[in-house]
Amino acid sequence: MATIERRSPVAFPVRAVRSTKIGHWTVVQQYTNEGEGPWLIDLSHHPRWDLQDADIRRCKPFPVNVPVDPGTCTLDRGLLVNRMNRTQCSIWHLLGDTPQPPADPVCTETTDATALMALAGGKVFAITEKLTNLDLTDPGPKPPFLLQGPFCHVACQLVIAQRRDLDGTLLLACSRGYGQDMAHAILQAGEEFDLRPAGEDQWRNLLKQIQNERSERF
Amino acid sequence: MKRLAGLPTLRVNSARAVSIEYDGKRFHGVEGDTVATLLYANGTRIFSRSLKYHRPRGLYSLDGQSSNTYVDVDDIPNVCAENTFVGNGMRVEPQNVLGTPEHDWMAFMDKLSWAMPAGFYYTIFHKPARLWPIAVRHIRKTAGLGSLSPDVELRGRFDQIYPAADVCIIGAGPAGMSAALAAAAQKLRVILLESRPWLGGYFDYRTRNHKPGMPLYLRGRQLADQLEQAPNIRIFKHTAVIGCYSNNLITAFQRGSEADCFAERYVQIRAESVVVATGCIERPLLFENNDRPGIMQIGCAHRLARTWGVLAGEQAVFSIGHDLGIEAAIDLHDLGLSIACVADVREDGCDPALPPQLEARNIPFYPGWVAAKAHGRKVLKKVTLTNLSGVCKQQFDCDTLVASAGLTPVTGPLALAGARLEYDAHTGYFLPTGIPQKMHAAGRMLGLEDPTAIELSGRLAGLRAVADCGMAVGATISGVEEELAKLPGPARGSKFVVAPVEGKKTFVCFDEDVTIQNIDQAMRLGFDVTELIKRFTSAGTGPGQGGIAGHNLPLYVALTHRSPDLHPRPTTVRPPLVPTLLATYAGTNHPMSKRTPVHASQVAAGGVMERLQPWQRARRFCADTTARAEIENVRTNVGMLDASTLGKFRIFGPDALKALQRVYVSDMARVSTGRMYYSAMCNEDGCVIDDGVATQIAENDYYFTTSTGRAGETSEWIRYHTRYDRWDFHIINLTDAYGVINLAGPNARKVLEKVVDGAVSNEAFPFLGFREFMVHGAIPVRAMRLGFVGELSFELHVPSSYMQSLWDILEEAGEEFAIWNFGLEAQNTLRLEKGHVILGSESEQRTTLHDIGLGFFWHRDKLEAQTVGAVALKQTENDTSRLKLVGFKMEEPAARAPRDGSPIVAERIRGYVCTARYSYALKEPVGMALVEGYLAKNATRLTIFEDDCKGELMKAKVVPMPFYDPTGKRMRM
Amino acid sequence: MLGRGKRLWSRSKRLKSSYDAVIIGGGLHGLATAYFLATRHGMNHVAVVEKRYIGFGGAGRNTAIVRANQRTQENLPLYKEALELWPVLTQELDFNLMFYNCGNLNLAHSEAALKAMRLQVASAQFHGIDSRLIDPKECKELVPALDVSDRLRYPIYGGMYHPPGGIVRHDAVVWGLASGASQKGVDIIQGVAVTGIGVQGGRITSVETDHGTITTPRVLNAAGAYAAAISCEMLGMRLPISVLTIQAMVTQPLKPILHHVISSGTYHCYANQTLKGEVATGAHMDPWPNYTTQCTAHYIKHQAEALTQLLPCLKGVKFMRAWAGLADMTPDMAPIIDGNDPVRGYYLDCGWGYFGFKSCVVTGKYLADFMASGVCPQILRPFTGRRFEQHRLMGETPALVHYSPDN
Amino acid sequence: MALTITCPICGKRSGYEFRFGGEDKGPPPQAAGLTPAAWCDYVHRNNCVAGVQKEWWCHRQGCGTWFSIYRDTTKNLEVAGPQSEDV
């Protein structure tokens, strides 16, 4: 009998060591030979929403604040809220659980609209500069911040979550249909830096780091 | 040939030997050799033959400014031997010769030059007319340099990089290095681009003192060390700048070394500020046979010895116009080159310290003298020198002539970025004026010659770039400006000199074999603009572009005119500044296409995939190209189509309905919950651009679909057409969020009811209904009863991550009916039988809603909505002369269907077949065509002109549509 | 012999005070019209006024491709005659225009493209023009360097082969026509800019230039990309035109490898090998209006990506020179040829986009008829600028139009 | 040439991220009584200014906003204008 499964648009050409079930998703915790980084991590199973309203600052579908300026982000209790323009935010749930979807009609669930990946570790921005002419190392904005623009020719949302010189963590969301080719292009560009696919465990560690770093700063 | 060893300036490693195969023989050199230096060290003097006259050509500039040393390397033609490092096992072949460069059977062409004046090809071979087609074949064969095999594959990896920078500096000579250090001191992100494999520029090979005890080359290395240690400077060596565009976009390419994981990579930089410190190249001296092998520029002879340890010859004559020439003569003498004499085109003005040094070495010095003629059939044997008036002459035996008129600045990047070049009488340079904002020039290209001044001008430019980045360095800038003012300014350049010549082979352009006589000829014919002379004679249009001709051509033209109001104007510089491999421009060129959520299983099921805009979709699953089995399965049983590429949108907010009314032709106020509503969008010409269905989800909240091709543009379209209204509505593109399965066929309901949690009977879920179900209690599905293929069918929209599971579940549930895939080809025939249009297939750019018979969807009363296209729909609604969409069948049912796109003719072309297929359901071909209005009436005969029909027209007749199930009961059952 | 020859055209910058006709623009269309006015209608009291130098604009910047496989029957006869004129004109001008009849191969990368080609091919055949559909194998036979495998991002489904087409040396046409017109008495005035057009009582009376006023009853606006701006500024006549930059480039010269002009709509790319051996290739346009003739980094890269897909062996070849020209695009990719409407004596020949080269001599011939007689020849009538308000787009492009006329 | 456009949301970006939306001709004219010539004038005809013009752009590869800017068509450079709008 056909099983009910949710599938990511991204499949890595490596063997999984350990996986868990989250809802109908099979999430790989760890792949073989993940190496020391940089890593490419598929986060497509993390729930995401689109929030739009003429007066967006008044919206509170989640108990977190909407960032004030377009291009800025807030990361609070595992929810990353990215201000896209005057009336719109994307919201990415980055923890491992499944939160209750908001009932507010200003929210649209968009988990399946995009592929979401994290590119993290050493020399991450040496990899990205091979794929985009967007300036991800601009010292101006402080992470986390959002850039919307072409990455490997495809319109993407890029969140620079943390950054130290060429090292750091980048979250990338592109149209789901492009997910497979995008992952392939990134892996190919990262070959010279020993970029390898990694699982959710690695992501947990990274998220902890990012959150600690942020609490230190504030 | 013996190599000079132990020189501190050498850039070769004599301890490690390398070798190449050239013209079938093996030659040895040392690590660090280029193909050109290795061959030269082995005695090669003739590297190639020229394009037109097949004259022997040799090493001239060492910087790749002409095709003189172009060779074939590993089957890749037109490789410049001067800047290609030797890799072990390289196979090098000469090109454009019949025989060898030494003995070229085409050499007789040189004797025919009298028959080839400028533009001669415009005046011959066309009479009689039949001569030309024969001549053209021979002309083609003689033209061109290297040859390329159609199946050759370039090896190596090609990559690209878009590094970010605040300040980008072009050129790592003393000025560029100083600029980089100045900018880096302010913690800015600095990028330094250098075309040679090492830093130092023209300091790198010179032993003259910068300061006492500090030779120039050592100073260069000192600066380089500082740069390498600065953490915020990124240095790209062996990187040639190829383009320089407005808003400071710089493009370049880097050659990889053996340690790099790329053969070459394309580099593109957008910088806040740019410093151009590209220095100078030498300008060729014009005299008879100035292209003979053995004649070379100063830097060529000097660097050959100092950088590669190769002496250019045994006995040399120098005919120069710059102190660098005298310096080189002294240095090369000391390294062992015998020098017959040094002629200087300048009568005065050389550094007074230099002539005594020549005298000390017994080298005769002739100020105000210049080379007039080179002798020697293939390579140089002797030289005639003359004074400038041509009265006195003297001949010298030599195998090397170092010939150089002076310097000319490398202004390519500035000119490409929009600077104008003006002739400056003092320096004799074309100096850049009107340099774009946030762009600065520095160093030797400004005419500076004092090493300290050059470094300081670099520092100044670096600081100005810092100021461009918004940092307060004004005071420092003033300080440097004052300091620079105290140092020597731009030096006086040598005059433009054409040696008194009696012969005819004084080349302005080597690549295209253009002589000064050709320029004269062009001017006599009325070509008086340099740009036109360039086109007519093709001077400067060869592989070296303006490198050889750039300076001399405009000056020669101005000189010949002798008109005081005529300023010398250089010809336009065009990118790329350096010839660049297509592979390098192309880079990795990642293929980016979209896959549907069931892509893998569609492929596994034997789907023949094709690209449909960004998507990959299955055209068919059976071997038969007409997809008969798939069609019949849908008509009689049940099939599944992956329709995930359909555009899907949510629009909500107080003004959502207004926005829909603006773009859809129908009255969208009629869109209600639980039902699907079909409508179309037009452009301002009233031409149909899209169709789809919409439903209401909640108050002010709609879900609608668009065609695949419009999915990417619909949000933009709606926002564009409401841009003056400031309405409050929100759109989300959900195209990728939902997969779509079209479950179609008389057994579709039997399959669906097995898996969903709600009633799907015709009563509970009628035609055009919209329902939300759960499949197996877990998968949320938006279901629509639509009838595109003309059977009972359900369009199931499911979150993409569940799509594969739903597909598998339906396949399993349909197993008892032998449910099967169908693809786009089957869908095309199925919908054709129903007379349903596909926009772009049954419409073209100029087809209105009326033309395809869908005018009734337009609600003319909603004037206040200002529907896009409504004005044009009103203006065209009674126009009977337009092309109309009709259905047709063949007059003989046994005839085959005409091919898509075939014109319909009656004296002239009256329309064309949009789609026609054999209908297995009706057992005869059916089709749709766009035809002139007068042919649109029922039963009218259409005569179809197929390609290659040899006058045999096919005959069809107009019939009403739909062809299949005209009452539509099958999709309502 | 040319080498010792006389000037090809007069040097004079001196304008006479009146002419029977003034042609704005010393490009191909202006020169061709002047030539035919002088040779076919004896109207040689004509001035061609050029702001820069002859052939400065599109005439010297196109990639010299000629063909007659247009889509619509309004265009087909015109381009057919144009093709036939090259050899004739070569003899008439006694100037080798170097028509290289290599044939054109247009590639299809989808079923839909094949269908669109079928219409073009059959329409051409109906008009007696040789053009046929061929399969990928035949494409490969014609162009051995072509990759017809399915490694291509957009594999080749077939092609439209059009043997009568080819390339013509574009500069030669400029110089040949200028020389021919000049010999018949036409004044070719370079370096003079038109600054105004005088109209009285709905008739053309004069042309103002920066070198003085010329009285004339007839003006032809053949200013190429600048035609629309001139029309708008000097006569208040706005035109349905957008001026876009289009780019082309050549590789270093090679021995013959491409024996046909090849093109691909999907890859936005065409290529041919010039008689000099350079592979000349052209691209897509920057999709916003501008009057700069600067190149872009974006498109030379795009062009390399496209060409190395279609012809992988060209990876090892180097681009040597890129340049840009202007294309005056209309919404339906067909030109605007008009006269005496609404101003008597004002003639318009513009909106050629990137087809201006192929059509220049034939258009000049019929425009000369038009200007000499005042009556529009039948063949030019469909090109009236009124067609846009009559909702009669020409249909030269099958594609759906975008919401802005500039795309 | 390397056009940059300043998006009111995302800042200065490469021109190729945007879609050009035509000369700014103001809102469409009222449909009632509109002659074909007047309609055509609004829809198809352009000023083709060789100089500075106000025009619409959409940041299609970025935030998706439509906005207007001023640009010099003879230099292909964005210039400062009296005001710009976005929707």
Side-chain angles (χ1 to χ4, degrees), chain B residues 41-75:
Chain B
N42 280 283
T44 303
R45 291 295 173 270
I46 303 173
F47 280 75
S48 72
R49 290 284 171 153
S50 68
L51 180 73
K52 201 158 71 176
Y53 301 146
H54 282 253
R55 285 169 68 88
R57 290 283 163 78
L59 196 57
Y60 186 74
S61 76
L62 263 190
D63 271 331
Q65 284 153 27
S66 69
S67 55
N68 276 16
T69 57
Y70 276 22
V71 290
D72 184 298
V73 175
D74 295 335
D75 298 325

Side-chain angles (χ1 to χ4, degrees), chain B residues 142 234 238 243 318 357 562 598 679 692 742 757 820:
Chain B
T142 56
R234 280 182 81 174
H238 220 181
F318 277 60
Q357 294 185 47
R562 288 205 182 78
V598 290
S679 188
N742 186 1
D757 62 355
W820 193 34

Side-chain angles (χ1 to χ4, degrees), chain D residues 6-83:
Chain D
T6 309
C7 167
I9 304 297
C10 303
K12 195 166 105 174
R13 293 285 185 87
S14 160
Y16 293 98
E17 291 180 26
F18 299 81
R19 183 194 287 288
F20 175 68
E23 295 176 7
D24 182 16
K25 301 176 184 176
Q30 287 302 316
L34 196 64
T35 65
W39 165 86
C40 183
D41 202 50
Y42 179 77
V43 173
H44 287 308
R45 297 194 180 118
N46 293 318
N47 286 330
C48 295
V49 174
V52 175
Q53 67 177 14
K54 189 181 178 195
E55 52 195 24
W56 284 99
W57 289 82
C58 173
H59 194 190
R60 70 176 315 203
Q61 289 225 61
C63 63
T65 305
W66 276 104
F67 56 94
S68 62
I69 57 153
Y70 291 82
R71 187 175 58 102
D72 184 343
T73 59
T74 61
K75 299 196 176 82
N76 199 30
L77 292 175
E78 195 180 357
V79 295
Q83 84 276 333

